[in-house]
Structures are given as C-alpha cells and as structure tokens.
C-alpha cells in the first residue's frame, strides 16, 4: 500500500508539474517575444500614462521572470521524481511558488489597472513624453520613430503635437524661418521602403517628399499624400496588415494579463497540491520509522 501511495503521489505531482511547465514555457516564450521584437517593445515604451511611466514594459519583464522561474522549478521537480528526491523538490516548490503567485498577480493586475485608465490618462502621458523627451537619437525618440514608421502614424493625435515639443524648439532655433515641423518618420516613405516596411530602419527613413511633408504639417493637412495623418494613439489599437508580425497593443496587453494571472492563480493550486504531497510523504516516512 505504501508503494502504491508513493506512486500515486508522484503521478499527481508529475501531472500538475507538467501543466505548470507548459504555462511557464508560454510565459517565457511570450516574455522573450515582447523583449526581442523591437516593434512591440517600442509600443510598450511609448504607450504610457505619464512621461516616466513604464508600467507595460515592467509587466512584460515580470512575465519573462515568471516564465524563467516556473520553467526551472518544474524541470527540477520532474528531475526530483526521476532521482527519487521528491520530498526535497516539493519543499522547494512550496518555498518558491508564493513568489510566483505574487509576481503573477502583480503583473496581471498592473495591466488590468492600466487598461481601465487608457482613455483617462494614456493620451496625456504619451503627449507629455513626446513633447518633453523626444530626441532623434534618444531611447524614447527611437521608440517613437519605430512606432511612427511601422504604424504609419504621426504624434499622439497628429502632426501638430510636435509644435509644442522641445524637439521642435531645438530643431528650429530661428522662429521666423522654420524648416522642420515633424521628424522624417512622420512622412510617407518612398515606394521602395513603404512596400518593404519590415526591413526599414526607422532611423534611416526615406520620405517620398520631405519638404512637402513639412509644408503639409505646417498647414495641418493630415490627409495628404506626403504626411502620415493618423495619430499613433489610435494606430496602436489595430495591427498593420502590411506587417505579418505586427500586433495590436490590446492583443499584447491581453497576453501579458492572461498569462500572468493564470500563472499566479495556478500556483495557488500547485501550493495546495504540493502541501498535500509533502504531508503524504512525511506521513509515509513516519510510518516507516515506527515500523523500524
């Protein structure tokens, strides 16, 4: 009977650890995807509630950490079954899984809270970031350039958002003779770049007609053939169909939220299962001790 109980405990733990391993691999894969994809990482960087807000970037980072911890823990747990050291690894699970619960719930509810504030604070936050922190070669500027090229958009609501930016003041020291109203990434690209958007380096755009693009921006003509008229706030709610890998930011946020909360709540089940298995192991070891 003891042997049968031992086998049953291992099977129960193995099944639940296997499910947890799949969940960990999913978190790890999506975390790597969001950090490795320069486009998605740029979307997360500029979609903010204030100039210094990094909520979505942090949530994606936590998701990656959850994936790493869960994957390593589950592999160790399965090795524990193979090496007949189940008690040690179940104890390790019970110690470390509460950390994953906290990380999962924090990451998931960060995104949930963010989604509820999208139409209250995000547009103002993006505008503040653009006007205060945009520079052509800075990290924020590079993120904005990438968003504007890949989403074919300009500014938060349109090209006029640059008129009050620090970039505008630095680029046009002569207030009388203004040459640039928007950066080149706001302009419609030439035919070769526009049809091969996936390969375009946002720091090396080739506008169709940069002079007319700036003239249209100066005249607030956002529906021209030379200036991207859509604002980036609205553009990030949909995917660019000309980019096979592009995603709506809502899709990315849903993945982070869904995986993080699933990982957090599932670990509560794993803690209960681990506690049950650990008690059974202790009970069996106590019976063996009494018999001896």
């Amino acid at each position: 009977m003891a042997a049968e109980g031992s086998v049953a405990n291992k099977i129960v733990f193995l099944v639940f650890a296997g499910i947890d391993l799949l969940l960990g691999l999913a978190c790890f894969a999506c975390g790597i995807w969001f950090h490795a994809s320069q486009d998605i990482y740029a979307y997360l960087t500029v979609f903010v509630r204030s100039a210094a807000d990094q909520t979505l970037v942090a949530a994606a980072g936590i998701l990656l950490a959850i994936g790493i911890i869960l994957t390593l823990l589950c592999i160790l747990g399965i090795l524990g079954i193979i090496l007949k050291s189940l008690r040690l690894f179940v104890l390790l699970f019970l110690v470390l899984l509460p950390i994953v619960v906290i990380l999962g719930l924090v990451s998931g509810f960060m995104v949930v809270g963010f989604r509820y504030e999208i139409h209250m604070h995000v547009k103002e936050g993006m505008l503040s970031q653009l006007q205060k922190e945009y520079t052509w070669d800075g990290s924020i500027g590079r993120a904005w350039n990438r968003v504007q090229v890949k989403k074919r958009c300009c500014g938060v609501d349109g090209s006029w958002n640059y008129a009050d930016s620090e970039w505008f003041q630095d680029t046009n020291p002569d207030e009388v003779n203004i040459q640039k109203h928007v950066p080149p990434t706001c302009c419609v690209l030439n035919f070769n770049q526009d049809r091969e958007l996936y390969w375009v380096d946002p720091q090396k755009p080739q506008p169709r007609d940069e002079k007319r693009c700036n003239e249209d921006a100066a005249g607030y003509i956002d529906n021209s053939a030379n200036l991207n008229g859509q604002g980036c706030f609205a553009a990030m709610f949909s995917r660019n169909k000309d980019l096979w890998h592009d995603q709506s930011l809502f899709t990315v946020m849903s993945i982070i939220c869904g995986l993080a909360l699933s990982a957090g709540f599932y670990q509560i089940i794993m803690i209960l299962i681990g506690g049950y298995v650990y008690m059974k192991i202790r009970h069996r070891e106590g019976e063996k001790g009494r018999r001896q």
Side-chain angles (χ1 to χ4, degrees):
M1 293 295 292
E4 291 177 2
S6 175
V7 172
N9 291 336
K10 290 181 179 180
I11 292 175
V12 169
F13 187 77
L14 184 62
V15 169
F16 281 90
I19 296 173
D20 215 12
L21 177 60
L22 293 177
L23 186 56
L25 289 173
C27 291
F28 178 74
C30 288
I32 289 291
W33 174 31
F34 298 152
H35 283 78
S37 170
Q38 296 183 62
D39 295 351
I40 292 178
Y41 195 81
Y43 303 162
L44 299 176
T45 300
V46 306
F47 206 71
V48 294
R49 292 172 294 189
S50 66
D53 182 32
Q54 291 291 296
T55 299
L56 295 183
V57 172
I62 294 174
L63 183 69
L64 177 58
I66 291 171
I68 293 172
I69 294 172
L70 277 185
T71 301
L72 292 177
L73 267 180
C74 292
I75 291 174
L76 288 174
I78 294 171
L79 286 176
I81 295 175
I82 297 173
L83 300 175
K84 299 181 180 180
S85 302
L86 183 59
R87 176 182 173 182
L88 175 62
F89 288 101
V90 169
L91 185 60
L92 183 63
F93 261 71
L94 294 176
V95 171
L96 295 180
L97 285 186
I99 298 175
V100 180
V101 173
I102 294 172
L103 291 176
L105 297 183
V106 166
S107 178
F109 284 116
M110 280 171 65
V111 177
V112 170
F114 191 96
R115 290 190 68 161
Y116 276 105
E117 296 186 357
I118 284 178
H119 294 289
M120 292 186 287
H121 302 297
V122 171
K123 187 177 288 189
E124 291 79 3
M126 291 176 67
L127 185 61
S128 176
Q129 185 191 68
L130 178 71
Q131 294 182 339
K132 294 179 181 179
E133 298 188 22
Y134 178 88
T135 58
W136 180 259
D137 287 320
S139 60
I140 298 298
R142 286 175 176 270
W144 270 100
N145 288 338
R146 181 167 290 277
V147 171
Q148 290 176 153
V149 168
K150 303 300 181 176
K151 290 293 189 181
R152 294 192 179 103
C153 59
C154 182
V156 180
D157 288 313
S159 60
W160 57 86
N161 292 143
Y162 280 97
D164 297 321
S165 68
E166 293 184 8
W167 169 86
F168 185 89
Q169 303 300 326
D170 294 338
T171 306
N172 302 288
D174 185 355
E175 297 182 1
V176 178
N177 185 26
I178 297 175
Q179 297 295 322
K180 283 198 172 185
H181 292 267
V182 291
T185 49
C186 274
C187 302
V188 174
L189 302 178
N190 65 28
F191 177 76
N192 289 330
Q193 281 201 331
D194 193 59
R195 70 174 181 174
E196 299 290 346
L197 205 57
Y198 176 81
W199 303 105
V200 175
D201 181 354
Q203 296 303 116
K204 299 177 180 179
Q206 298 173 12
R208 177 185 296 176
D209 190 329
E210 188 173 357
K211 181 180 178 181
R212 289 190 178 181
C213 172
N214 278 278
E215 289 174 352
D216 291 343
Y220 301 105
I221 305 173
D222 278 339
N223 293 322
S224 76
N226 301 294
L227 176 66
N228 292 324
Q230 186 179 30
C232 294
F233 176 79
M236 283 195 286
F237 292 152
S238 60
R239 61 183 297 269
N240 186 344
K241 295 180 180 180
D242 291 335
L243 288 173
W244 62 268
H245 68 289
D246 194 44
Q247 296 294 331
S248 160
L249 193 58
F250 270 154
T251 300
V252 176
M253 291 170 65
S254 297
I255 292 173
I256 295 174
C257 181
L259 285 177
L261 291 180
S262 297
F265 285 120
Y266 188 76
Q267 301 325 301
I268 297 175
I269 298 174
M270 284 298 296
I271 290 172
L272 296 176
I273 296 295
Y276 171 78
V277 172
Y278 187 74
M279 288 174 61
K280 286 290 186 179
I281 293 173
R282 289 290 300 274
H283 179 71
R284 190 175 68 252
E285 290 178 348
E287 287 184 345
K288 287 182 178 179
R290 286 193 295 271
R291 288 173 185 173
Q292 292 175 354

